[in-house]
């Protein structure tokens, strides 16, 4: 097959490209230039967006003897991922930009272009298993990235290859070292690639400016603090609330109301929610018949929990947790899994959390 | 493999390889006083004389450098600093926006860090700078440090009338630098009659080694050094002479200049067939730069080996990738270090739309090019363009 390897400059995509070459495919490497103002050298924990990272990717491609190009997708990335990220925070939601990037850039803009140019598949270094069109968690639970791939459709998965899902990250590094790749010991990238200093709140403040509002305690209805912008908060957040409440009990963010810019906080006993309503779901395979039992993961590193999935309003879902969950933030994806301890939990699909269902059954933000 | 990227670099001539290999086997620093040093010095100076003669310069006007980028930096910064030192009013640099980045970035660096003012010359749709436009930009010239206009453009191959431009500059007492990296060996270049005060050339575009070039600098031109040290090269460019590279550069230049007329006629014939064949298959392909038969100052108005075309609706880097996969090597223009395709600043300077600038390809022919190379392109260009158009412009 003619395979396009998306190469970030990190060790995972380097090994994925190498494995595609080993498998006998005709591989071409592509580095995606996503940032509009690329730095010459890497800084901090980012591992994909500097010119140095593209050189790391090119160095591996040259060792593999495969063609290598840089595709400039900075405009699309800015529009579909960065601007969306800012707009979601401005609307009081908590987006996942990696999931959005997979949905709009890697498995949309890049995949479409690859197909048009005559490629049969796109291979990436994501840690997830993909066999017979079924997307499953990586064998390396700590590195599993199936959550951010949960948004892919059967058509997108049909043209994707994830060769790393059946091995641990340690094994990936071993393979890179055996091949003499200079990136074998390159640190993992984490945080958000387009926020070079890791200061998300500062980034949003620069984009959105100061938008002060009250912090209100749910128990008393009293204002207990002020904030510079609701974008500094995520539902479930405990640290950095800047509130003083007499009873000294920890407070959690319960809700964000963007119009009045009100951040509601409350004690732990108020923070749990029994269910969430979602937007319209996407499915990785056949559309399941509702209702059904599954597991759900409500953010990138949350533990999966048992749930029951019902039809919701307007084509959305109502996901009912077996136990109350904290920190279920609107804007995050609820990724649904079918538990499978042998072959790896299978991703069924996902839907964006719209709002939590309160205990009384009334619907609140 | 079909190599049609000679403007990026061209194969080393066999006689260059032989001469350099022989010289590399010898010991000797050309600055040493003993016999080995004298032998090295003799080889270097003999090369300087032959090289100077091939380019219509005096040996004392030849400053060997590490290549085109260094020569451009030395000319632009060195002339600016020296001219301003002798008269602080001279802060203006008059330059074309279609120059190579070695000139553009030097000029912009001087503007950002050293008080230079830039006057951008208007560029014809063909990419040419006209003498009357230069005259207008210079005014009385009293505040101008230097003019820099390239002899032949590296992307679209357009040739400007450097002798006429030099006359205009000299009328108001301003020196002119010209980047002739693409011109030497392709069109007649004679330093003396060109009137230029400084001229950049490099070895690897005409069959010599990489990392070896020269700045031809008139004896009366004041130029502040970039590299200080042992005082080699007229005290303007210090550094131990790379004798083997200088030998190779001279052999290549003498050979390329000597065989220029025949080669130019042959390459122009191949190039015309390539362009005509492409346009016959893809009628909306647009030739960028001067028309094929264009003339300037009694010579060709376009480099004989240059074919630069835009393919509306296709992206240059998609075309390049598809051709590469079929064994045809060409370019979208001048590659930037990160390999990100940007719309060509040269085409933008000629007034082209960004989409046209982004949809362009440069085929550049050289001394090893054959009819078979042209046929190889004509065999695949139609399906490649069709495929690239399906992939769209990669933008909404």
């Amino acid at each position: 097959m003619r395979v396009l390897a998306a190469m970030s400059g990190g060790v995972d995509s380097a090994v994925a490209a190498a494995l595609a070459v080993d498998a006998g495919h005709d591989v071409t490497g592509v580095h995606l230039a996503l940032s509009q103002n690329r730095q010459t050298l890497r800084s901090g924990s980012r591992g994909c967006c500097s010119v140095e990272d593209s050189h790391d990717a090119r160095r591996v491609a040259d060792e593999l003897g495969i063609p290598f190009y840089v595709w400039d997708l900075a405009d699309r990335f800015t529009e579909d991922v960065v601007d969306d990220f800012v707009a979601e925070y401005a609307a009081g939601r908590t987006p996942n930009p990696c999931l959005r990037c997979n949905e709009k850039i890697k498995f949309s803009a890049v995949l479409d272009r690859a197909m048009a140019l005559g490629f049969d598949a796109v291979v990436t270094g994501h840690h997830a298993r993909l066999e017979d069109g079924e997307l499953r968690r990586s064998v390396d639970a700590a590195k599993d990235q199936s959550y951010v791939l949960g948004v892919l459709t059967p058509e997108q998965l049909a043209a994707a290859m994830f060769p790393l899902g059946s091995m641990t990250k340690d094994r990936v590094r071993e393979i890179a070292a055996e091949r003499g790749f200079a990136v074998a010991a390159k640190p993992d990238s984490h945080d958000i690639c387009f926020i070079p200093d890791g200061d998300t709140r500062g980034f949003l403040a620069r984009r959105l400016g100061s938008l002060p509002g009250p912090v209100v305690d749910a128990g008393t209805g009293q204002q207990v603090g002020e904030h510079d912008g609701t974008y500094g908060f995520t539902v479930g957040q405990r640290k950095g609330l800047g509130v003083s409440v007499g009873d000294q009990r920890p407070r959690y963010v319960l809700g964000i109301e963007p119009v009045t810019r009100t951040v509601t906080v409350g004690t732990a006993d108020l923070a749990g929610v029994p269910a969430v309503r979602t937007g319209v779901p996407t499915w990785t395979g056949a559309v399941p018949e509702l209702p059904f039992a599954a597991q759900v993961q409500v953010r990138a590193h949350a533990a999966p929990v048992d749930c029951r999935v019902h039809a919701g309003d307007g084509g959305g879902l109502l996901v009912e947790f077996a136990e109350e969950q904290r920190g279920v933030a609107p804007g995050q994806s609820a990724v649904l899994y079918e538990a499978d301890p042998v072959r790896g939990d299978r991703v069924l699909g996902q839907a964006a959390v719209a709002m939590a269902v309160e205990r009384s059954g009334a619907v609140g933000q | 493999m079909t190599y049609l990227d000679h403007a990026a670099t061209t194969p080393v001539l066999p006689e260059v390889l032989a001469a350099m290999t022989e010289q590399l086997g010898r010991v000797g620093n050309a600055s040493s006083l003993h016999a080995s040093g004298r032998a090295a010095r003799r080889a270097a100076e003999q090369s300087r004389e032959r090289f100077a003669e091939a380019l219509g310069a005096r040996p004392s006007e030849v400053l060997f450098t590490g290549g085109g980028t260094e020569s451009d930096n030395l000319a632009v910064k060195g002339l600016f600093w020296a001219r301003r030192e002798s008269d602080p009013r001279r802060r203006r640099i008059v330059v074309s926006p279609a120059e190579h980045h070695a000139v553009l970035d030097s000029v912009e660096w001087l503007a950002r860090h050293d008080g230079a003012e830039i006057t951008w010359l208007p560029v014809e749709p063909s990419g040419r700078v006209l003498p009357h436009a230069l005259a207008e930009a210079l005014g009385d010239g009293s505040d101008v440090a230097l003019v820099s206009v390239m002899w032949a453009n590296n992307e679209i191959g357009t040739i400007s009338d450097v002798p006429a431009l030099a006359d205009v500059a000299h009328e108001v007492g301003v020196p002119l630098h010209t980047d002739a990296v693409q011109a030497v060996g392709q069109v007649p270049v004679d330093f003396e009659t060109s009137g230029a005060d400084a001229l950049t050339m490099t070895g690897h575009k005409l069959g010599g080694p990489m990392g070896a070039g020269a700045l031809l600098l008139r004896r009366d031109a004041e130029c502040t050094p970039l590299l200080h040290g042992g005082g080699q090269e007229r005290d303007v460019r210090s550094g131990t002479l790379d004798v083997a590279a200088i030998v190779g550069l001279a052999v290549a230049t003498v050979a390329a200049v000597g065989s220029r007329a025949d080669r130019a006629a042959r390459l122009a014939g191949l190039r015309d067939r390539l362009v005509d064949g492409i346009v016959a298959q893809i009628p909306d392909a647009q030739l960028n730069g001067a028309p094929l038969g264009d003339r300037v100052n009694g010579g060709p108005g376009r480099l004989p080996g240059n074919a630069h075309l835009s393919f509306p609706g296709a992206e240059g880097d998609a075309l390049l990738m598809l051709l590469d996969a079929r064994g045809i090597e060409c370019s979208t223009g001048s590659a930037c270090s990160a390999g990100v395709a940007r719309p060509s600043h040269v085409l933008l300077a000629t007034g082209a739309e960004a989409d046209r600038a982004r949809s362009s390809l440069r085929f550049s022919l050289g001394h090893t090019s054959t009819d078979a190379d042209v046929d190889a392109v004509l065999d695949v260009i139609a399906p490649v363009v069709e495929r690239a158009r399906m992939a769209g412009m990669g933008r909404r």
Side-chain angles (χ1 to χ4, degrees):
Chain A
M1 283 206 290
R2 294 198 61 214
V3 174
L4 189 86
M7 300 176 73
S8 67
V11 63
D12 290 326
S13 55
V15 171
L19 293 174
V21 171
D22 289 354
H25 298 302
D26 177 5
V27 181
T28 293
V30 163
H31 177 81
L32 307 177
L34 301 177
S35 166
Q36 285 180 320
N37 299 300
R38 298 213 293 165
Q39 296 175 303
T40 303
L41 295 176
R42 200 167 29 248
S43 64
S45 63
R46 260 52 48 186
C48 60
C49 300
S50 69
V51 174
E52 187 180 8
D53 294 307
S54 89
H55 286 176
D56 287 345
R58 185 171 66 188
R59 181 79 191 83
V60 169
D62 289 347
E63 281 302 307
L64 293 173
I66 61 173
F68 176 80
Y69 307 95
V70 177
W71 284 3
D72 178 6
L73 289 158
D75 292 348
R76 301 255 336 223
F77 184 78
T78 300
E79 202 175 303
D80 288 339
V81 180
V82 182
D83 292 351
D84 173 78
F85 179 82
V86 174
E88 284 288 284
Y89 267 109
R93 291 187 287 266
T94 306
N96 184 314
C98 300
L99 185 132
R100 191 68 60 234
C101 179
N102 283 330
E103 179 191 12
K104 300 282 191 180
I105 305 293
K106 287 185 187 142
F107 297 95
S108 179
V110 174
L111 186 63
D112 289 351
R113 191 160 194 241
M115 293 292 142
L117 289 171
F119 290 94
D120 303 303
V122 169
V123 60
T124 72
H126 284 109
H127 283 265
R129 272 176 280 186
L130 179 60
E131 284 150 28
D132 305 325
E134 296 184 336
L135 180 66
R136 296 177 184 278
R137 289 192 193 275
S138 165
V139 298
D140 189 334
K143 293 292 171 187
D144 174 51
Q145 290 175 306
S146 61
Y147 178 85
V148 290
L149 298 167
V151 70
L152 301 186
T153 63
E155 294 72 32
Q156 290 169 318
L157 288 170
M161 292 169 63
F162 306 134
L164 305 190
S166 55
M167 63 183 76
T168 62
K169 179 74 181 227
D170 290 344
R171 180 64 194 137
V172 172
R173 289 199 183 278
E174 268 172 34
I175 293 174
E178 283 161 20
R179 289 174 173 267
F181 290 163
V183 295
K186 187 169 169 175
D188 287 358
S189 58
H190 49 86
D191 297 340
I192 297 165
C193 71
F194 54 85
I195 304 180
D197 57 4
D199 176 11
T200 302
R201 195 186 283 208
F203 173 83
L204 290 165
R206 285 191 294 280
R207 290 288 299 259
L208 294 169
S210 177
L211 298 166
V215 180
V216 172
D217 189 69
T220 62
Q222 301 289 308
Q223 180 169 340
V224 288
E226 280 186 10
H227 64 79
D228 287 334
T230 56
Y231 51 76
F233 301 87
T234 292
V235 169
Q237 178 179 335
R238 178 179 161 187
K239 291 178 180 159
L241 300 186
V243 300
S244 68
V245 194
D247 61 22
Q248 300 300 320
R249 289 163 66 196
R251 293 299 195 273
Y252 299 82
V253 174
L254 301 184
I256 297 165
E257 211 296 296
V259 176
T260 60
R261 299 180 195 156
T262 303
V263 174
T264 306
V265 300
T267 46
D269 55 303
L270 298 174
V273 297
V276 289
R277 294 190 184 280
T278 76
V280 176
T282 62
W283 303 106
T284 61
V287 177
E289 204 168 307
L290 297 166
F292 62 91
Q295 289 195 324
V296 63
Q297 189 177 327
V298 292
R299 56 181 180 275
H301 299 290
V305 292
D306 289 335
C307 69
R308 198 155 174 83
V309 184
H310 307 268
D313 306 325
L317 304 175
L318 175 67
V319 180
E320 191 186 355
F321 304 121
E323 287 174 27
E324 286 195 351
Q325 295 298 303
R326 278 189 208 163
V328 188
Q332 294 275 290
S333 273
V335 176
L336 301 165
Y337 290 86
E338 175 187 75
D340 186 335
V342 179
R343 291 188 295 166
D345 300 347
R346 181 159 80 91
V347 179
L348 302 172
Q350 66 80 43
V353 173
M355 62 188 75
V357 177
E358 290 175 2
R359 283 182 192 128
S360 62
V363 166
Q365 181 76 26
Chain B
M1 193 187 70
T2 300
Y3 185 78
L4 290 172
D5 202 13
H6 291 266
T9 197
T10 197
V12 168
L13 296 166
E15 57 265 45
V16 170
L17 190 58
M20 287 184 73
T21 307
E22 192 184 339
Q23 186 61 42
L24 278 169
R26 295 180 183 145
V27 68
N29 182 326
S31 297
S32 297
L33 299 178
H34 45 59
S36 298
R38 290 195 297 275
R41 179 153 205 89
R42 180 170 176 234
E45 294 310 314
Q46 235 173 29
S47 293
R48 188 189 307 276
E49 289 160 14
R50 288 174 188 160
F51 176 83
E53 190 187 353
L55 296 178
R58 292 200 255 178
S60 57
E61 291 173 325
V62 175
L63 308 180
F64 289 120
T65 69
T69 293
E70 187 195 331
S71 295
D72 281 343
N73 272 265
L74 176 57
V76 169
K77 294 174 187 167
L79 290 174
F80 174 81
W81 287 328
R83 292 266 300 165
R84 189 185 55 182
E85 193 173 349
S86 59
D87 183 343
R89 287 177 304 164
R90 294 170 180 159
R91 297 194 302 120
R92 204 146 65 86
I93 302 176
V94 177
V95 64
S96 142
E99 294 296 305
H100 190 277
H101 277 291
V103 167
L104 288 184
D105 290 9
S106 295
V107 170
E108 284 173 351
W109 185 89
L110 288 171
R112 270 200 312 279
H113 299 283
D114 211 1
E117 256 175 62
I118 307 173
T119 300
W120 296 111
L121 285 163
V123 172
E124 294 294 288
S126 68
R128 186 167 296 142
V129 173
L130 297 181
H132 74 76
L134 175 59
E136 210 165 289
L138 285 169
D140 70 4
S142 61
D143 62 342
V144 180
L146 74 143
V147 175
S148 186
V149 178
M150 67 204 319
W151 197 301
N153 186 270
N154 53 306
E155 292 189 29
I156 58 178
T158 303
I159 292 163
S160 286
D161 186 350
V162 170
L165 295 169
D167 283 348
V168 168
H170 293 166
E171 268 171 36
V172 290
V174 174
L176 176 136
H177 164 249
T178 184
D179 178 336
V181 160
Q182 297 289 340
V184 173
Q186 301 297 326
V187 293
V189 172
D190 186 279
F191 186 57
E192 174 67 33
T193 59
S194 75
D197 298 271
L199 181 148
T200 291
M201 69 81 63
T202 194
H204 74 105
K205 310 288 191 188
L206 42 72
M210 293 180 183
L215 182 69
L216 302 184
L217 184 68
R218 221 163 270 283
R219 287 166 62 91
D220 58 3
E222 291 284 327
C223 185
T224 305
L226 291 178
L227 302 183
H228 298 89
Q232 294 90 343
E233 303 303 275
R234 259 169 69 182
D235 262 342
V236 178
R237 201 275 187 184
S238 288
T240 300
L241 292 190
D242 185 344
V243 180
I246 288 167
V247 166
L249 174 65
V251 170
T253 305
V254 168
V257 170
S259 59
R260 187 201 60 77
D262 288 349
R263 187 179 56 258
R266 189 176 70 82
L267 294 185
L270 289 175
R271 188 270 320 271
D272 291 359
R273 192 163 76 79
L274 176 66
V275 171
D276 292 346
I278 289 173
V279 174
Q281 294 186 55
I282 300 147
D284 59 343
Q286 303 160 310
L287 181 71
N288 298 309
L292 296 182
D294 191 49
R295 308 281 294 170
V296 65
N297 188 28
R302 181 182 188 112
L303 288 174
N306 174 285
H308 192 285
L309 298 116
S310 289
F311 299 90
E315 215 171 60
D317 59 347
L319 293 166
L320 183 123
M321 187 186 87
L322 292 164
L323 287 169
D324 189 7
R326 288 158 180 77
I328 293 170
E329 301 183 325
C330 62
S331 153
T332 54
S334 59
C336 115
S337 65
V340 175
R342 297 277 177 215
S344 152
H345 75 278
V346 172
L347 285 187
L348 295 179
T350 66
E353 299 288 325
D355 275 354
R356 178 171 178 174
R358 217 181 256 118
S359 69
S360 61
L361 271 190
R362 179 188 70 185
F363 299 99
S364 52
L365 292 76
H367 65 93
T368 56
S369 297
T370 62
D371 270 308
D373 295 331
V374 173
D375 292 337
V377 175
L378 298 182
D379 281 350
V380 302
I381 192 71
V384 160
V385 171
E386 191 189 345
R387 172 68 84 176
R389 282 178 172 164
M390 279 163 56
M393 296 299 287
R395 283 164 182 80
R396 274 172 251 169

